[in-house]
Amino acid sequence: SPVFLISVLGTVLEYFEYAIYGFLAPVLALHFFPGGDSTTALLKIFGVFAIGSLSKPLGALIFGYLGDVQGRRISLRYSMIGISFPTFIVGILPGYDTWGWVTTLLLVLCRMSQGIFIAGESDGVHIYVFEHFSSKYPCLMMSLVGCGAYLGITLASLVASQIPLGGEAWRFVFLGCSLFGVIVFFLRRYLIETPPFLAW
């Protein structure tokens, strides 16, 4: 159904946006932590990646409350635009050679934001789909949502494998992701609220 497809499309895209950073870590290390030992730069990039994961519990709390108070549909729309905005910022962020520690700080804040919003997407879309389709094939539908996340990660790895180590081609990946995120954000306007929330 369109409801399911729009929901899972957002999951595919959000996990693509979240994972592409990790797959492009060697490229990003050259841009955000230039000079010195390349291994140290790579470890710093993965350290920033870990910060995004550590912020997920906060996102789960925020979006759990938002979904219960304002509805599942609103929660999914906010999570979509929320992860796309920091992806756009990373795509246009100047290198360390230009802004120094300010670049590092902004990169950390962007990854924290992505961790918060992807937590809202991960839990929110499972709840949304379950409440719409729990009367028929609930386990299958939950499994398909999970497949959407893995599909996004797989696509991110395939795209990253085509990006050269040098140059600025990686920026187009981040900017393209953010553009598709805005499109899915508007598509999610057509999601209908779940019956259990309306009955609550």
Side-chain angles (χ1 to χ4, degrees):
S1 71
V3 168
F4 178 78
L5 291 176
I6 293 173
S7 301
V8 176
L9 178 61
T11 298
V12 173
L13 182 59
E14 288 205 22
Y15 272 87
F16 181 99
E17 292 185 54
Y18 190 78
I20 194 67
Y21 176 97
F23 288 121
L24 288 178
V27 179
L28 299 178
L30 294 176
H31 183 74
F32 292 112
F33 297 101
D37 183 20
S38 59
T39 301
T40 301
L42 190 60
L43 288 174
K44 289 179 180 178
I45 280 291
F46 280 123
V48 176
F49 183 84
I51 290 174
S53 297
L54 293 174
S55 63
K56 286 182 180 180
L58 177 60
L61 287 173
I62 293 172
F63 281 92
Y65 177 79
L66 180 66
D68 286 341
V69 173
Q70 295 193 20
R72 322 310 190 205
R73 173 178 170 271
I74 294 297
S75 175
L76 289 180
R77 293 194 72 208
Y78 285 167
S79 70
M80 187 73 256
I81 200 66
I83 197 172
S84 296
F85 182 71
T87 300
F88 174 78
I89 296 299
V90 173
I92 64 171
L93 195 60
Y96 187 87
D97 289 340
T98 304
W99 283 7
W101 66 268
V102 176
T103 291
T104 303
L105 176 62
L106 290 175
L107 182 64
V108 169
L109 292 175
C110 285
R111 288 304 300 177
M112 287 181 64
S113 298
Q114 287 184 319
I116 289 171
F117 285 104
I118 200 170
E121 171 71 18
S122 178
D123 296 332
V125 75
H126 277 90
I127 294 170
Y128 182 85
V129 170
F130 180 80
E131 291 185 348
H132 266 294
F133 301 100
S134 60
S135 61
K136 189 175 184 181
Y137 305 123
C139 294
L140 174 62
M141 302 307 283
M142 292 298 95
S143 298
L144 291 176
V145 172
C147 288
Y150 294 123
L151 177 60
I153 295 171
T154 301
L155 290 174
S157 69
L158 292 174
V159 171
S161 68
Q162 304 303 311
I163 303 300
L165 189 60
E168 303 290 319
W170 64 272
R171 292 187 183 276
F172 294 103
V173 178
F174 282 80
L175 296 177
C177 285
S178 61
L179 175 61
F180 279 113
V182 172
I183 294 172
V184 175
F185 170 75
F186 283 109
L187 285 176
R188 283 186 169 179
R189 292 178 57 190
Y190 301 102
L191 293 178
I192 55 176
E193 192 53 80
T194 66
F197 178 80
L198 294 175
W200 186 32

